[in-house]
Amino acid sequence: MLSTGILLGIAAAFFWGCADFFAKIAVTREKKFIPIHISNFVALLVIIGYNLLNPTPGYSLFTIVPSVILVSISMTGGWWFFWKSLQSGKLTLQTAVGASYGFITLILAVLFLGEKPTFLQVLGAFAIVCGVFLLSGFRSLKKAKFDMNIFMAFLAALSWGSSYFFLAPILKVHPIGVVLMSHMFFSQFVSFGIVILTGNRLLPRDLNNLKPVMAAGLVDSLGIICYYVAAGTILISLLAPISSMYPVFTAFLAFIFMNERLTKEQLAFVGMIIIGILLISL
């Protein structure tokens, strides 16, 4: 039977897979519009609602944890890199590259946090990472060519991977709701700064383009909540690979709504990811 932590990790992956789908719609409509500040604001409102429904005894709604600043900078920077990469190229490929953050977090957690997953759990995490990598359609280094969009997605993975590593020890000291609030509070300022410094518009020419942005912020925040709660029940070295399986959901959404082809091989790689999750649950 899958534990609560694993189920929440899968839920985070589902919500983040949907977030990538909506983000792709938002950034391809207008080239100078990378609205991470708007999606962050929507996420902030959701997190405020979560804290109001789940108050932390001894803490106010506006309690801030300064140590979360680094996490917010790294996480929000990753979102800008990723949304920028989505402006052109294939969604399933860029999402799979961005999801390699799970492997980065796993390595950092084992090396520096002293986490010791079992052999079967390591094997499961490896199966998930390989499945996500192969799902991207990548085959050979010899045939690989430099692609700025893929490079931006990789920078996003580095940012997210390090963010979740820095987040782990903070969650052991401070309550989930307080860290969530601090994360989204700082992220709002960081996202505004990035949008202004990069010369992007604060609002779209067509206000209808706000709809997918707001949808992305909503489902992204739900994924963040699931991840934070799961982090209190399962090793980060296992949670990160599980939550990084979101390209599975993005691939199906892209197949249904964007006519991006889903091959038999990709379906097999989805099966590999599912096997990995089962191994981690043992």
Side-chain angles (χ1 to χ4, degrees):
M1 183 176 179
L2 299 180
S3 68
T4 301
I6 292 177
L7 290 174
L8 285 171
I10 295 174
F14 169 75
F15 288 126
W16 287 339
C18 294
D20 285 0
F21 172 74
F22 288 122
K24 176 70 172 179
I25 295 174
V27 298
T28 51
R29 289 179 176 177
E30 295 187 35
K31 289 300 181 182
K32 292 293 289 183
F33 183 56
I34 304 180
I36 56 173
H37 59 298
I38 299 175
S39 64
N40 263 311
F41 181 70
V42 173
L44 175 61
L45 295 179
V46 174
I47 299 304
I48 290 174
Y50 172 82
N51 279 329
L52 290 174
L53 294 173
N54 300 275
T56 304
Y59 293 86
S60 74
L61 179 63
F62 303 102
T63 300
I64 297 298
V65 180
S67 55
V68 182
I69 293 177
L70 183 60
V71 174
S72 298
I73 293 174
S74 182
M75 189 77 73
T76 309
W79 270 113
W80 187 85
F81 285 129
F82 188 71
W83 282 46
K84 181 68 175 176
S85 77
L86 289 178
Q87 287 193 319
S88 59
K90 196 173 182 181
L91 174 61
T92 50
L93 174 57
Q94 287 147 302
T95 298
V97 173
S100 62
Y101 80 83
F103 179 71
I104 297 170
T105 304
L106 185 157
I107 296 299
L108 292 174
V110 171
L111 290 179
F112 299 105
L113 297 181
E115 293 192 355
K116 297 179 180 179
T118 66
F119 173 76
L120 285 179
Q121 289 173 330
V122 171
L123 188 63
F126 183 72
I128 292 173
V129 172
C130 288
V132 169
F133 186 67
L134 293 170
L135 186 65
S136 70
F138 183 83
R139 291 293 180 275
S140 172
L141 284 173
K142 294 180 179 179
K143 297 180 181 179
K145 295 181 180 179
F146 180 79
D147 185 314
M148 179 55 73
N149 294 315
I150 298 303
F151 179 66
M152 297 287 275
F154 178 68
L155 290 178
L158 288 176
S159 298
W160 293 336
S162 58
S163 296
Y164 289 122
F165 165 70
F166 293 131
L167 183 65
I170 296 174
L171 286 173
K172 292 181 179 180
V173 178
H174 301 284
I176 292 172
V178 176
V179 179
L180 268 171
M181 190 65 189
S182 299
H183 172 188
M184 298 314 302
F185 175 78
F186 290 127
S187 292
Q188 192 60 56
F189 288 99
V190 175
S191 61
F192 263 109
I194 291 175
V195 170
I196 292 172
L197 289 174
T198 54
N200 283 274
R201 286 190 298 274
L202 293 176
L203 290 173
R205 289 196 178 96
D206 183 355
L207 292 181
N208 285 324
N209 291 341
L210 288 176
K211 294 178 182 177
V213 177
M214 296 173 70
L218 173 62
V219 291
D220 179 48
S221 63
L222 295 176
I224 291 173
I225 292 172
C226 289
Y227 187 97
Y228 270 61
V229 176
T233 63
I234 187 175
L235 294 175
I236 293 295
S237 55
L238 301 180
L239 175 59
I242 292 173
S243 64
S244 71
M245 61 170 278
Y246 64 84
V248 172
F249 301 106
T250 305
F252 280 107
L253 288 171
F255 172 73
I256 295 171
F257 297 104
M258 294 181 174
N259 296 318
E260 290 194 7
R261 187 180 177 187
L262 196 61
T263 67
K264 292 181 180 179
E265 284 183 331
Q266 288 176 312
L267 290 174
F269 300 144
V270 170
M272 182 187 297
I273 293 170
I274 293 172
I275 292 172
I277 293 172
L278 293 176
L279 287 174
I280 286 178
S281 68
L282 296 178

